[in-house]
Structure formats: C-alpha cells, structure tokens
Amino acid sequence: MKLGNYVNQLGISVYSLSKESHVPYTTLCSICNGTADIMECRVNTLVKIADTLAINLLDLINGSIPAPVKYNFINNKISLDITDLPKAIKNTIKELEEYDRNNDTMFYECADMLYMMADRFLKDGAIDRPTHDKLIMKYPIA
C-alpha cells in the first residue's frame, strides 16, 4: 500500500503527520500524492515518517505497507490531534495504542491513568475541556 492510501485509511491528515514527524508538509504532500519519487527522498525523512507511523522502513520504501491495524478498544471515530498535548499524555497514548494493537486488557488500566492525567491537566489549564472530553471518549475504560 502506498503512503497516501495508508494515511487516508488511518484517518489522519497529512498536516498532522507533518507536525508529528517533523517532516515538512510540502514534502509529505508530494510523497503521499506520488509526485515525489520515494527512492529519491532522504533516508532521514523516510525514517521520521516510518517511526511516526510505527511502520517498517522497508515497507514504506517498497510501497508495501500493510493495511492499518484495526483497533480493539480505541474509538477511531473520535478525531484527536495530539501534537500540542503534554508529553506525559502523548506517552500514555502510545502505550494505549500498543496495548490495543496487542489486544491486551492492560489497556483499561492505562486508560484509567490517562483519565487521571487528563483531569489534572484540565485543572492546571494545560488542556482545554473539548480536548479532555475527546481523550475520555477516544480511550474508553469500559
């Protein structure tokens, strides 16, 4: 699967991928829409993309990225941009996604921790109410 198709199936924007991976938006647009030859891209750029998407670098280069993993616990209908979230929440989200990929029920313990963090960051003003509510709905504990 080509990168553009993969990003579309994930339901994320090229802009959010750009922010998360620190790859320029125009570069990602060119790669995703096929106007840039991926074989001519810098290795560092491809590594950033592969790491951000948690995909194999060779799969990215070969255009053989497997279909995105369907989540077991995470509500993918909730769109959430994590680029401006506090680092502790970002790290917890990465743990949640791994538990979810592995269908590990530790997901619920981790989600409970996320709720406590979200409440604290809301109280401290580090996140706003809509972001807090999206976190709660996207990563349910039951």
Side-chain angles (χ1 to χ4, degrees):
M1 173 180 303
K2 300 288 185 186
L3 181 62
N5 293 338
Y6 186 80
V7 169
N8 285 337
Q9 284 191 11
L10 281 177
I12 62 173
S13 69
V14 174
Y15 178 78
S16 65
L17 177 57
S18 171
K19 296 285 276 183
E20 185 74 21
S21 66
H22 303 288
V23 172
Y25 174 75
T26 54
T27 301
L28 272 172
C29 280
S30 296
I31 294 169
C32 286
N33 68 24
T35 58
D37 182 356
I38 203 158
M39 297 302 285
E40 294 180 10
C41 293
R42 293 183 177 168
V43 172
N44 186 38
T45 299
L46 299 177
V47 168
K48 287 178 183 179
I49 295 168
D51 286 350
T52 301
L53 294 173
I55 59 176
N56 183 288
L57 179 60
L58 291 176
D59 289 344
L60 174 62
I61 293 168
N62 295 331
S64 59
I65 306 167
V69 175
K70 301 299 180 195
Y71 290 108
N72 300 301
F73 308 115
I74 296 174
N75 183 350
N76 276 336
K77 294 178 183 171
I78 307 294
S79 176
L80 179 65
D81 182 9
I82 67 168
T83 53
D84 295 328
L85 292 177
K87 187 174 183 174
I89 289 181
K90 285 182 185 179
N91 290 339
T92 303
I93 288 172
K94 286 182 182 179
E95 283 183 58
L96 283 165
E97 289 174 350
E98 183 161 337
Y99 288 137
D100 193 74
R101 274 191 296 276
N102 297 327
N103 201 20
D104 188 335
T105 56
M106 277 299 293
F107 175 90
Y108 297 116
E109 297 295 324
C110 192
D112 194 39
M113 183 182 299
L114 176 70
Y115 287 16
M116 289 187 284
M117 275 193 281
D119 288 345
R120 181 64 185 189
F121 282 122
L122 178 64
K123 183 178 178 183
D124 292 345
I127 63 173
D128 58 15
R129 173 58 69 179
T131 302
H132 173 275
D133 294 346
K134 283 183 178 182
L135 284 166
I136 303 303
M137 292 185 301
K138 186 166 183 77
Y139 305 100
I141 57 174

